């Protein structure tokens, strides 16, 4: 931890270390301290204040991050705020949930009030549960959110995470998940980290306060506060070498004073900037010679142990009051708090540890391992640190540690343990196997570079084709969810090509990943490459993978051989009834083939039976959301998007987040919230390369087009929808673009671009030829009807509505009904138009498609239908999230149930409802159902 008070603990003789200086003696950090205080104070007074719930404090070692965090924490505690604290440690970075354990240890008992699933997930993460299958990391994050929210109901809470660059990944993921959802809570999170270190989850859209060097005036004031003020040339050299770093100013002053007193060798460096991680550590290490051997041994044990070891090995170190600590305390190396002994700064710990000979460090780790018989994970890591050559027993202990970490959801910790186990495995074959397993665990961290590093290390140790194929599959599975589609496709296809004949099953697994990339990218040459490799895979082997062969063809080229693909889909669905993973894959296939009802049944069945979902979205995870959008289950679609976005954000998978944002934007546009739709579409486009991810590009353009049309801006709508096609009118994406043809035609008619749109529609019709699904044929017919001369339009309208399957896409059918009704009314065939208008209006009302409700109501009045003007729609005044929460509450869900669906805390849900009730003119939750149903009926 960083401190730069006026020489805290600094002595020039055998005097005791003074207590830390009060906050008013922090030098040169008034503005930064005020910023921290404002953040905490504003959240305490008003959780919805403009200041966000999270602030990250960054700076180099010694700039004072810990001193500032300490001051904020003490002040908050004095004002009645509950303060939770944790500090990262280099040696604990490989222990899953170690930082979370520190942070929540004082309130762990209060987790018993959480819902059963969240309670179990949190206990499993903290190692106090009965971990079975790997817990859903979102459930763990939701449990942390729920616990912080529950604490916030009793009073303000401040969570302080220091040295976060050394916190384990599992803890950071869980805390970041919770922190992003604290906007409505009286909870503040302050995070301290070294400059330049990436903090997963806290590295985007989080306010950052960076500590720079002190200015000259502040540096001089700090030197004046030292016990022995430097002067003259020594002062100038200290100022020059420290470069405004507070810790360096204090420690170089101490070194100069010790040098003058003959208590330490050397003096401050004479020239050049001060590299803190080198020379400053050596300044600390210079105090070690001459310390009693008992003190030196105690210091080394303290440096080698984890913070959690302090409680586990009380007999392994001298008691806090033991005289063995006094020389180290007098040298300014440690601080005794009355409860335990701690190093004054992480650099002190590093100096003590690295100044010791390797044999001494090894003996320290062995000693600590012997003191930890009941802490197998920490014991394993200490044994590993003491190992200098391959050791099968230690490797096996680390492998067991990895297994325990995986069961708790600590995938990063598991991967690190397996990686170290591989380094200690005596046999290359075992090392390769462990590295491949490590790659499989690392997949769930979202760190593609690490997965590829592990896979490369495995390749260097084995030529076993099965292991190599598995390694490639692990890397491919994660890579498909990133935005590097061209590179990823090349790797997957190349590996599949090599294995096509000798290992057809592995080749098909790799090709399935390539097909996902092909879908996302929309690159035509990728389709040809997939088809070429498929031809090389023997048709007869393996029979168990026949379904996957059909799946690859459907995803990469759904129009080719559609009847055969449908037969394969039907046969495979029957076999997958009790295999949720297979069922979701086949649901994707059904959606791609426009068999949306079948896709929905499969998704529903898989989600109902699959209690332990993987912590990463599967390839084409947006298919479930699109399925529900197309069937008119828009609320459910948005719930799927919320989960997909939460998982993708936690794992750092931009493409998954972009997919969720694009689908969400389409729903919002259909509901008439144009501003929110544009924001979500912009989020999606900002995360992807439009040439690498044509599918998301097209979805976002469709959303932007629908949002513009909802506002009557048809020129803008046409431009956005036209961007879903190439300059010569070809589909930009082979699946996503053609489903926008009817909307393009509608915008073209209203913006005077009929001729240009006609060329696009006919160009796509030639591309589709006889391969179009019934749904696509209906959309083509509707587009042609809209673009045709008025006297020629009716057959096309009738053809669109003659497709019986169009009923499965209620929004598209209602649009076609309204278009035909408008055409009929203009032909003065009003009697024929009226039933079509009534049906269209009822569908739009049921879906909550407000722009279309208004348009259908206007047309109905023109047709002479008695459409009573409704009362002002209070629901329309709510934000999209409030509408979603109100809708779920109207269905009878509790705040906790709503929170679990939308990944919000119960308190946040309650806050939204509290603010919604006055807008809705109600006072009780029991009134919601009638109000929501009445609003929908009133729309007609």
């Amino acid at each position: 931890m960083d401190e730069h008070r006026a020489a805290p603990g600094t002595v020039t003789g055998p005097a005791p270390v003074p207590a830390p200086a009060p906050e008013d003696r922090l030098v040169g950090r008034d503005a930064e301290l005020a910023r921290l205080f404002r953040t905490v104070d504003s959240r305490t007074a008003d959780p919805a204040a403009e200041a966000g719930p999270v602030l990250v404090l960054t700076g180099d070692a010694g700039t004072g991050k810990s001193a500032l965090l300490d001051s904020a924490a003490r002040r908050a505690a004095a004002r009645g705020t509950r303060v939770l604290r944790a500090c990262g440690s280099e040696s604990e970075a490989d222990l899953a949930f170690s930082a979370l354990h520190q942070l929540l240890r004082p309130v762990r008992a209060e987790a018993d009030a959480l819902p059963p699933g969240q309670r179990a997930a949190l206990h499993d993460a903290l190692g106090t549960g009965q971990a079975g299958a790997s817990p859903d990391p979102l459930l763990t994050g939701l449990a942390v959110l729920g616990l912080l929210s529950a604490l916030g109901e009793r009073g303000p809470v401040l969570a302080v995470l220091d040295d976060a660059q050394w916190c384990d990944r599992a803890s950071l993921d869980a805390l970041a998940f919770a922190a992003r959802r604290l906007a409505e809570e009286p909870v503040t999170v302050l995070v301290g980290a070294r400059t330049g270190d990436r903090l997963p989850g806290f590295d985007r859209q989080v306010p950052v306060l960076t500590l720079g060097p002190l200015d000259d005036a502040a540096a001089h004031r700090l030197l004046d506060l030292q016990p022995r003020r430097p002067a003259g040339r020594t002062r100038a050299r200290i100022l020059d070498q420290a470069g405004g770093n507070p810790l360096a100013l204090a420690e170089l002053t101490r070194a100069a004073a010790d040098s003058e007193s003959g208590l330490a060798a050397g003096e401050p460096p004479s020239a050049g900037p001060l590299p803190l991680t080198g020379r400053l550590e050596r300044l600390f290490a210079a105090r070690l010679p001459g310390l009693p051997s008992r003190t030196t041994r105690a210091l080394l044990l303290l440096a080698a142990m984890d913070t959690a070891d302090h409680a586990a090995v009380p007999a392994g170190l001298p008691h806090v009051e033991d005289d063995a600590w006094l020389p180290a305390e007098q040298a300014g190396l440690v601080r005794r708090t009355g409860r335990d002994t701690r190093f004054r700064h992480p650099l002190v710990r590093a100096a003590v540890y690295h100044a010791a000979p390797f044999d001494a460090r090894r003996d320290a780790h062995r000693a600590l391992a012997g003191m930890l018989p009941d802490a197998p994970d920490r014991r394993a890591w200490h044994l590993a640190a003491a190992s200098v050559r391959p050791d099968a027993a230690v490797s096996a202990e680390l492998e067991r540690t990895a297994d325990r970490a995986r069961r708790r959801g600590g995938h990063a910790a598991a991967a690190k343990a397996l990686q170290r186990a591989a380094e200690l495995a005596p046999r290359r074959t075992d090392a390769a196997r462990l590295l491949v397993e490590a790659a499989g665990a690392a997949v769930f961290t979202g760190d593609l570079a690490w997965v590829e590093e592990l896979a490369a290390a495995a390749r260097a140790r084995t030529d076993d084709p099965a292991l190599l194929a598995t390694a490639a599959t692990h890397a491919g599975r994660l890579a498909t969810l990133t935005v590097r589609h061209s590179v990823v496709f090349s790797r997957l296809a190349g590996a599949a090509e090599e294995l096509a004949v000798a290992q057809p099953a592995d080749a098909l697994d790799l090709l399935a990943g390539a097909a996902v990339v092909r879908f996302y990218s929309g690159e035509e040459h990728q389709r040809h490459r997939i088809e070429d490799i498929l031809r090389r895979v023997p048709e007869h082997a393996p029979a168990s993978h026949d379904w996957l062969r059909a799946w690859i063809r459907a995803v990469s080229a759904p129009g080719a051989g559609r009847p055969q693909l449908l037969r394969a889909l039907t046969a495979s669905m029957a076999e997958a009834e009790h295999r949720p993973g297979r069922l979701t894959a086949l649901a994707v296939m059904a959606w791609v083939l426009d068999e949306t009802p079948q896709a929905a049944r499969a998704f529903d069945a898989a989600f109902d039976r699959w209690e332990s979902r993987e912590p990463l979205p599967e390839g084409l995870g947006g298919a479930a959301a699109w399925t529900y959008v197309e069937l008119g289950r828009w609320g459910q679609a948005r719930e799927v998007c919320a989960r997909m976005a939460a998982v993708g954000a936690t794992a750092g998978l931009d493409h998954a987040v972009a997919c969720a944002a694009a689908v969400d934007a389409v729903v919002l546009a259909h509901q008439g919230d144009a501003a929110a739709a544009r924001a979500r579409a912009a989020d999606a486009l900002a995360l992807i390369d439009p040439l690498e991810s044509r599918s998301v590009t097209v979805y976002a353009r469709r959303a932007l087009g629908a949002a513009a049309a909802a506002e009557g801006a048809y020129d803008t709508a046409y431009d956005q929808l036209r961007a879903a096609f190439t300059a010569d009118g070809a589909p930009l994406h082979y699946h996503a673009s053609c489903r926008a043809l009817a909307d393009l035609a509608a915008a073209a008619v209203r913006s005077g671009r009929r001729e240009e749109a006609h060329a696009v529609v006919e160009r796509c019709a030639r591309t589709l030829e006889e391969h179009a699904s019934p749904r696509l044929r209906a959309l083509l017919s509707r587009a042609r009807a809209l673009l045709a001369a008025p006297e020629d339009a009716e057959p096309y309208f009738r053809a669109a509505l003659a497709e019986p399957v169009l009923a499965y896409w209620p929004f598209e059918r209602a649009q076609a009904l309204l278009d035909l009704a408008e055409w009929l009314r203009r032909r003065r065939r009003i009697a024929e138009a009226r039933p079509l208008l009534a049906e269209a209006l009822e569908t739009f009302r049921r879906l909550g498609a407000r722009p279309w409700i208004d348009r259908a109501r206007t047309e109905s009045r023109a047709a002479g239908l008695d459409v009573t003007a409704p009362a002002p729609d209070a629901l329309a005044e709510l934000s999209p999230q409030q509408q979603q929460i109100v809708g779920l509450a109207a269905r009878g869900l509790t705040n906790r149930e709503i929170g679990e669906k939308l990944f919000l805390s119960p308190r946040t849900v309650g806050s939204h409802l509290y603010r919604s009730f006055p807008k809705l003119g109600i006072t009780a939750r029991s009134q919601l159902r009638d109000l929501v149903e009445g609003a929908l009926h009133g729309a007609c």
Side-chain angles (χ1 to χ4, degrees), residues 205-384:
Q205 298 179 340
V206 174
V208 176
L209 176 60
T210 300
L211 298 183
L214 297 179
D215 60 29
D216 289 344
H220 278 288
R221 287 201 306 274
L222 184 57
L223 291 181
D224 289 339
L225 291 169
Q226 302 307 302
R228 296 185 59 174
R229 296 167 48 185
R233 191 171 68 89
T234 299
R235 186 182 187 98
R237 288 168 61 192
I238 289 172
L239 289 167
D240 176 61
Q241 293 302 308
N245 184 283
L247 182 66
L249 288 163
E251 296 304 327
L252 288 172
T253 299
R254 174 197 290 276
D258 287 350
S259 178
E260 293 171 5
S261 303
L263 297 176
E267 59 180 50
S270 60
L274 182 73
L276 293 179
T277 55
R279 293 182 187 170
L280 191 55
E281 282 189 21
R282 288 197 292 275
L283 284 174
F284 289 124
R287 302 173 198 170
L288 296 174
L291 293 178
S293 59
R294 188 161 173 259
T295 299
T296 301
R297 182 179 183 276
L299 284 171
L300 183 54
L301 282 174
L302 186 63
M305 68 171 48
D306 303 323
T307 56
D309 290 342
H310 287 264
V313 292
L317 286 174
H319 188 270
V320 64
E321 297 178 358
D322 195 293
D323 287 343
W325 296 115
L326 183 59
E329 190 174 32
Q330 291 173 340
L333 300 174
V334 299
R335 175 179 297 115
R336 291 186 282 183
T337 65
R339 294 172 299 173
D340 56 18
T341 304
R342 302 283 173 149
F343 286 110
R344 284 189 50 247
H345 193 278
L347 289 178
V348 179
R349 178 185 183 185
V352 169
Y353 186 81
H354 292 292
F358 175 76
D359 287 346
R361 297 201 302 267
R362 182 178 59 187
D363 290 344
H365 283 295
R366 282 177 175 167
L368 289 168
M371 300 173 196
L372 293 164
D374 299 324
D377 295 339
R378 288 182 167 82
R379 169 184 162 80
W381 278 108
H382 282 303
L383 288 173

Side-chain angles (χ1 to χ4, degrees), residues 42-43 45-51 182-186 911 915:
S42 64
R43 301 290 302 166
D46 178 10
E50 185 174 342
L182 290 172
E184 303 289 332
E185 310 289 342
S911 177
R915 292 201 295 270

Side-chain angles (χ1 to χ4, degrees), residues 719-764:
D719 290 339
Q720 292 292 350
L721 293 164
R722 181 63 179 83
F725 304 87
T726 64
D728 63 356
L732 186 66
H733 186 271
Y734 63 96
H735 185 272
S737 292
C738 289
R739 284 147 185 82
L741 284 171
D743 292 335
L744 176 77
V749 170
R750 290 167 172 78
S751 62
R753 321 274 272 281
R754 189 187 301 261
E755 186 174 340
E756 182 183 350
H758 181 270
V760 173
V761 169
E762 295 309 317
R763 172 76 164 77
C764 290

